[in-house]
Amino acid sequence: MLSEKLLKELNKQINYELYSAHYYLAMAGYCLSEDLPGFANFFIAQAEEEKFHAMKFFNFVDEMDGKIKISGLEEPEEDYKSALEVFKAALEHEKFVTKRIYHLMDIAMEEKEHATISFLKWFVDEQIEEENSMKDIIVQLEKISGDSHAMYMLDKELGQRVFTPPADSDQ
Ligand code: FEO
């Protein structure tokens, strides 16, 4: 049985993950407006992944007999100056999500809520990947520094990204 405090925070996390999908779709929209369809594809796939994260929390709350609560979403930023600025904002967002996951883990550990601790471990590992994928692209964009051929090649590469839920997913 989840405590009221943990249930509230897990429900908040469903919303944060849904907001992340929203946030990345707005970034995809910006990339399309800049004629960067591959970059847009990257963020559309990222938004799919965020919905998958939201549903993992959604299903977990239900499995733990908690009452699911969905609330409204803020309007995401949609004006950026460059693809580099977009990825820097995406990295900051992922760092924020990592802090949220740690916050949830701190509560679960304080309460010795072992089922939640076990569930959250997947997200602790996932956040390392999430931050690294944004960092890798930032490094590439900094190297490219406006070279249009290199931008074209990176756009092509990012256009290949497809989100496939992990095979061991319990969603
Ligand atoms: Fe759901 Fe990108 O963290």
Side-chain angles (χ1 to χ4, degrees):
M1 174 96 177
L2 295 169
S3 70
E4 208 177 301
K5 181 177 176 184
L6 198 46
L7 174 62
K8 192 171 160 205
E9 291 297 320
L10 288 166
N11 268 324
K12 262 199 210 170
Q13 196 62 29
I14 299 175
N15 241 64
Y16 278 122
E17 300 292 344
L18 290 173
Y19 176 74
S20 297
H22 218 50
Y23 187 69
Y24 290 131
L25 274 182
M27 288 181 167
Y30 167 81
C31 294
L32 285 174
S33 74
E34 292 294 302
D35 293 325
L36 293 167
F39 283 74
N41 174 70
F42 175 92
F43 284 113
I44 291 167
Q46 186 66 34
E48 287 302 309
E49 188 162 352
E50 299 301 348
K51 282 185 228 159
F52 167 75
H53 293 169
M55 289 310 295
K56 270 183 94 76
F57 278 100
F58 182 100
N59 290 330
F60 180 71
V61 169
D62 178 55
E63 276 168 19
M64 298 294 284
D65 289 329
K67 169 100 172 62
I68 291 158
K69 173 148 175 50
I70 302 292
S71 30
L73 296 178
E74 235 180 86
E75 197 167 310
E77 178 59 54
E78 55 188 5
D79 291 323
Y80 296 96
K81 290 191 190 75
S82 63
L84 180 58
E85 192 187 47
V86 171
F87 276 93
K88 283 186 173 170
L91 175 59
E92 287 314 304
H93 183 71
E94 287 303 332
K95 285 182 180 169
F96 167 76
V97 176
T98 301
K99 279 197 193 132
R100 277 286 316 164
I101 300 293
Y102 286 10
H103 175 64
L104 287 168
M105 186 63 112
D106 287 346
I107 300 171
M109 286 171 80
E110 242 170 61
E111 295 185 1
K112 299 188 171 55
E113 218 307 294
H114 291 267
T116 306
I117 292 169
S118 170
F119 169 75
L120 288 171
K121 277 185 182 153
W122 185 90
F123 281 94
V124 171
D125 295 340
E126 175 70 5
Q127 281 311 117
I128 299 172
E129 261 182 52
E130 293 277 273
E131 288 190 25
N132 281 343
S133 80
M134 300 306 173
K135 277 183 208 156
D136 288 350
I137 298 168
I138 289 171
V139 169
Q140 289 190 66
L141 283 168
E142 282 174 340
K143 277 192 198 150
I144 285 172
S145 170
D147 176 321
S148 58
H149 180 68
M151 266 308 262
Y152 173 76
M153 295 308 288
L154 181 57
D155 188 63
K156 262 189 122 100
E157 186 190 320
L158 297 181
Q160 307 298 313
R161 182 180 178 193
V162 179
F163 171 65
T164 316
D168 60 352
S169 158
D170 57 359
Q171 196 198 304

